[in-house]
Amino acid sequence: MTSETGVGASVKRKEDKRFLTGKGRYLDDINRPGQAYGAFLRSPHAFAKIKSIDTAAASAAPGVVAIYTGADVAADGVGGLICGWAITSKDGEPHKAPAHPAIAVDTVRHVGDQVAFVIADTLAQAKDAAELIEVDYEEMTPVVDGAAAVAAGAPQVHDDVPGNLCYDWELGDQAAVDAAFASAAHVTTLDIYNNRLVPNAMEPRAAIGDYDSGNDEILLYTTSQNPHVARLVLSAFVGIAPEHKLRVIAPDVGGGFGSKIFIYAEETICAWAAKKLDRAVKWTAERSESFLSDAHGRDHHTTAELAMDANGKFLGLRVNTIANMGAYLSTFATSVPSYLYATLLAGQYTTPAIYANVKAVFTNTAPVDAYRGAGRPEATYVVERIVERAARDLGISPVELRKRNFIAPDAYPYETPVIMTYDSGNYPLNLDTALKLIDYDGFAARRAESESRGKKRGIGLSSFIEACGIAPSAAVGSLGAGVGLWESAQVRFNPTGGVTVFTGSHSHGQGHETTFAQLISEHLGVPIENVEVSHGDTGKVPFGMGTYGSRSLAVGGSAIMRAVDKIVEKGKKVAAHLMEASAEDIEHANGVFKVAGTDKQVTMAEVAFAAYVPHNYPPDLEPGMDETAFYDPTNFTFPAGTHIAEVEVDPDTGAVEVVDWAASDDFGNVINPMIVEGQIHGGVAQGIGQALLENAVYDPDTGQLLSGSYMDYTMPRADDLPSFKIETTNTPCPGNPLGVKGCGEAGAIAAPAALMNAITDAIGVEIDMPATREKVWRAAQSAQQAAE
Amino acid sequence: MPNVSMTVNGKAVSAEVEPRTLLVQFLREKLSLTGTHVGCDTSQCGACVVHVNGKSVKACTTLAVQHEGADVTTIEGLAQNGELHPMQEAFKEHHGLQCGFCTPGMVMSAIDLVKTHPNPDEKTIREGLEGNICRCTGYHNIVKAVKAAADNMGG
């Protein structure tokens, strides 16, 4: 039975009150005693040698405390930034990892690369002084496009990376795919670009380094999705301080979407400078800096070919991708276009043979790393666009073609040809549910009505798959990950019955303080208002891996359930003693311990009190009620579903109106439906943003970021989007104790293909994202002319 | 340095400021009212919206010294005697916030919107919030919250 605050209830969020009353504590809201302010001088050039830096005038400016350049950082032995996932090229060579200094030493490689850090008593003084630094640059010709970077004669971004090639990696059975194509009745081809995006969490990145000289301890506040990982990297690889002398706090964080996973130059420098100066140093990004220096997302050039038999049954898929890594490797950049991408190219289908080749390349652009979905949106975009094109090529309805090729609901566990074992799902059910939600059968009439007004209406599907809950440590280790991907939890009862849950996950909008409290309320019978969730402070919570890849509930929630199991186990022993029974005879449900077959019972609160005031207590049992658990997943989870977009295009203006959106997603069991729906809304909005509006554009000649502000980079706004129709189906995940799959990224994965397929359906021509008015207008006009 | 005095959340305040100090900097740095956020540098995102003499204003786009004698309300001044404002209540009830960073500005804009349009339809709400960017919610639940608040505010 579901209680009002237990599993399955749309409990209103516990964290909302502080956010709604202005009492959230985001990083820039925090100040440390005696704090100085830092400002970065950033490169105005995409690619240049630094011939000299003259800081004399700036150093003499009012309030300036210190100015640091790359030489100062290097002289102090501060290590470069690292990439934590090793990829092996098909020739057996490890990926190329060129030096990535926190402040450039002799060469700048993208607009916005750090050149100097100015610290002053006030922020205004730091910025004023930064303008007085004279840098003598020798400009070089940049390359910004991934495909251009691998062409013969392209500028070389790093001297030690020939041909700008980070890796040339493959997955799948090439010979089997060749054989499939040889026997195919039909081959559909696709050549697409997955546009580069700027994540744009609304809170800009920021950091405060502080130093306690008495204890030789650095305290770093940073906008992080994974503070323990930041501590580990800054300690073990960058060499800022030993882990036990470095405390990292990620307070309230205003959105992440992947961009705050990574360990960046700015927080590194703040931590280092604080110790050097014995003074707190704060840096907060301006939005323009975020555009230039946050890790970007996507940026894939892809060609794909799908081989089919005469009935449209998929026989083989061949995919070639060039992935733009930017100027340097960000923390997990190498994994995104490889193991997070090609492993999902089976989609929801039984395609028996798949081969992918991915070339990751360096360019003179901001580094690219995981952004909401991370590789999986790129995979779904390839699969769902080529499937829709195949349907048009073959004259089969896109619904029918998908159904002919779906993995059957009774086929699990299902091993794909690209090393994944899907654990559960019901793809036809999701498709049918979405069709019903959008009234697919009524589309023809709606299209006719639009046409009567001179408009073109289109409908497009996207049946997406993702791999979430990353992931079994042994599996990711074997694929090159430098870390394990388990999660930690600690459930601590206070003597008076309240509970604090410490989690290694980090909430930056996902509502963990509520969802995780629901687990305790449900399983231990504690009123939800008596449960606090604590996260984001390496000085408080056990070492944890953080939040990304829709893993918090599947992995972090499972760790909480492990800790709950330990609490119950210990509670049974205490209860047995209190009721003078044997522990084997104690039954537990919802925070009540009963002696089986009797009406004797004690509550969790009584047991917890006895554990802390053990006057009457089992002699062989430790006092206290405080259990820690670590959970390592048994598999990825595989959320899946179908999204359907309906658009109306004005062929005279190119305006695309998203008139309807239906989504049917299978996230396994759902703890808080309200929060899950919110996650879908946000993901879909970001996917629509990618398909319709957003584009990080670098000028090919100068390497300048042309869409580097909200005046130029088109963020989705309230009047760009529709309301969404959403249902969830619930095939429990067999791989974790909660049966959950993860919902954070689904919308961003599913939406781009659905929307682009709808636009194609409307205007009859395929275009690349984003479908700007100009592009749509040109395509619609050319289609009309061709038809006349 | 010039001195500026105004009423913020019903309290008289006064401070010396550099002439270039923005209203949002005055609120955050001089008054420690950090609920008003800065999300961009081009007056596009709306995280900094406050009410000046009852109208919504992007506090990043105006200097503190321009508001001598003004009556300013920030997100911290909305709840009265521990009771949330109906707009705050509606955002909570309808899950109109996730990370919470855009929320103060969104709530302040929404209150002004409902004042101007007491019974707004979805289109009016969406157009009225066009100056506030949210990256988390996809706006779906914000629109629901504003509609519900408008109903509760007696529109």
Side-chain angles (χ1 to χ4, degrees), chain A residues 84 121 133 188 252 272 286 288 359 373 417 430 508 524 570 603 651 662 683 685 717:
Chain A
D121 291 332
I133 298 175
T188 287
D252 284 331
W272 166 75
E286 296 187 358
S288 311
K359 292 182 173 68
N430 281 314
H508 28 281
L524 294 176
K570 185 168 185 178
T603 65
R717 296 176 190 248

Side-chain angles (χ1 to χ4, degrees), chain A residues 14-25:
Chain A
K14 290 163 67 75
E15 47 270 80
D16 282 357
K17 188 178 176 192
R18 72 173 187 274
F19 296 141
L20 281 163
T21 53
K23 302 294 182 191
R25 291 261 288 170

Side-chain angles (χ1 to χ4, degrees), chain A residues 734-764:
Chain A
N736 61 61
L738 290 166
V740 298
K741 297 186 177 180
C743 65
E745 297 162 294
I749 294 170
L755 191 57
M756 295 309 290
N757 287 337
I759 291 171
T760 306
D761 187 48
I763 63 176

Side-chain angles (χ1 to χ4, degrees), chain A residues 13 20 26 287-288 716-717, chain B residues 39 41 44 88 98-99 139:
Chain A
R13 298 202 319 172
L20 281 163
Y26 301 92
R287 182 57 61 184
S288 311
R717 296 176 190 248
Chain B
D41 45 15
Q44 291 287 307
Q88 293 170 309
Q98 290 181 24
C99 84
Y139 305 101

Side-chain angles (χ1 to χ4, degrees), chain A residues 12-17 19-26 28-31 122-125 127-128 197-204 253-255 257 282 286-289 371-372 508-511 674-679 681-683 685-686 689 694 709-711 713 715-726, chain B residues 18 20 25 28-29 32-47 58 74-79 82-85 87-108 122-123 125-144:
Chain A
K12 307 305 173 205
R13 298 202 319 172
K14 290 163 67 75
E15 47 270 80
D16 282 357
K17 188 178 176 192
F19 296 141
L20 281 163
T21 53
K23 302 294 182 191
R25 291 261 288 170
Y26 301 92
D28 195 54
D29 304 339
I30 296 167
N31 295 296
T122 71
L123 179 59
Q125 288 169 336
K127 285 181 178 176
D128 288 345
L197 303 175
V198 183
N200 273 307
M202 290 316 296
E203 182 203 19
V253 172
F257 314 111
K282 181 181 196 175
E286 296 187 358
R287 182 57 61 184
S288 311
E289 286 186 282
Y371 166 62
R372 201 169 194 166
H508 28 281
Q510 296 90 338
M674 175 192 82
I675 288 176
V676 167
E677 284 180 20
Q679 289 292 311
H681 298 157
Q686 286 180 11
E694 300 177 39
S709 83
Y710 288 155
M711 311 286 279
Y713 186 94
M715 291 284 279
R717 296 176 190 248
D719 57 353
D720 292 314
L721 301 170
S723 287
F724 309 108
K725 294 172 182 163
I726 284 166
Chain B
E18 270 196 76
R20 60 178 163 177
Q25 292 171 323
R28 289 180 57 82
E29 293 161 21
S32 297
L33 292 171
T34 55
T36 303
H37 298 149
V38 178
C40 77
D41 45 15
T42 51
S43 296
Q44 291 287 307
C45 80
K58 287 183 173 171
T74 71
I75 190 75
E76 290 94 340
L78 282 185
E83 288 282 304
L84 294 180
H85 184 282
M87 189 62 75
Q88 293 170 309
E89 196 58 59
F91 268 66
K92 181 179 164 97
E93 183 65 25
H94 295 279
H95 190 29
L97 65 154
Q98 290 181 24
C99 84
F101 193 80
C102 78
T103 307
M106 196 68 82
V107 167
M108 299 308 283
E122 177 169 345
K123 190 166 185 288
I125 295 170
R126 287 183 179 277
E127 285 175 358
L129 295 179
E130 196 259 356
N132 292 74
I133 301 176
C134 170
R135 193 56 151 169
C136 293
T137 64
Y139 305 101
H140 180 109
N141 285 340
I142 291 177
V143 172
K144 264 168 67 178

Side-chain angles (χ1 to χ4, degrees), chain A residues 287-545:
Chain A
R287 182 57 61 184
S288 311
E289 286 186 282
S290 306
F291 271 99
L292 295 175
S293 65
D294 287 5
H296 293 179
R298 320 289 192 249
D299 201 344
H300 283 195
H301 287 283
T302 295
T303 58
E305 300 160 89
L306 178 64
M308 289 163 283
D309 73 11
N311 294 317
K313 192 89 182 147
F314 304 158
L315 302 175
L317 178 68
R318 190 187 282 141
V319 175
N320 287 289
T321 292
I322 294 172
N324 192 338
M325 297 277 96
Y328 307 100
L329 291 179
S330 175
T331 316
F332 292 106
T334 49
S335 64
V336 176
S338 51
Y339 288 110
L340 298 179
Y341 166 66
T343 51
L344 278 309
L345 286 169
Q348 301 188 357
Y349 310 109
T350 56
T351 317
I354 298 173
Y355 174 76
N357 175 231
V358 179
K359 292 182 173 68
V361 305
F362 292 104
T363 63
N364 296 108
T365 61
V368 178
D369 206 323
Y371 166 62
R372 201 169 194 166
R376 292 151 292 167
E378 294 92 318
T380 283
Y381 189 61
V382 170
V383 172
E384 289 306 289
R385 281 205 67 167
I386 203 165
V387 164
E388 198 102 354
R389 182 183 280 192
R392 282 192 298 277
D393 284 356
L394 297 176
I396 302 173
S397 111
V399 172
E400 172 60 25
L401 186 64
R402 282 180 172 85
K403 286 188 171 177
R404 277 185 205 175
N405 287 283
F406 274 157
I407 295 163
D410 60 359
Y412 301 97
Y414 183 86
E415 205 172 319
T416 75
V418 275
I419 69 169
M420 284 295 185
T421 304
Y422 297 171
D423 59 3
S424 62
N426 190 336
Y427 307 147
L429 174 65
N430 281 314
L431 176 56
D432 288 334
T433 306
L435 292 172
K436 224 174 284 167
L437 272 179
I438 206 151
D439 181 22
Y440 194 77
D441 293 339
F443 174 72
R446 296 194 295 277
R447 169 176 263 175
E449 192 279 327
S450 293
E451 272 172 13
S452 73
R453 291 182 284 110
K455 303 285 175 64
K456 294 189 172 294
R457 206 174 184 97
I459 196 162
L461 284 72
S462 174
S463 296
F464 75 98
I465 184 90
E466 55 177 322
C468 290
I470 186 166
S473 295
V476 294
S478 75
L479 302 179
V483 290
L485 286 167
W486 43 267
E487 196 48 87
S488 67
Q490 183 180 359
V491 175
R492 176 187 296 166
F493 271 84
N494 299 314
T496 51
V499 173
T500 306
V501 177
F502 299 90
T503 172
S505 302
H506 186 276
S507 183
H508 28 281
Q510 296 90 338
H512 297 168
E513 289 170 46
T514 305
T515 305
F516 289 174
Q518 285 178 253
L519 297 179
I520 301 299
S521 176
E522 170 86 16
H523 293 285
L524 294 176
V526 181
I528 198 160
E529 61 273 18
N530 293 349
V531 184
E532 284 300 310
V533 175
S534 179
H535 63 90
D537 182 347
T538 64
K540 283 187 185 171
V541 306
F543 195 108
M545 298 310 298

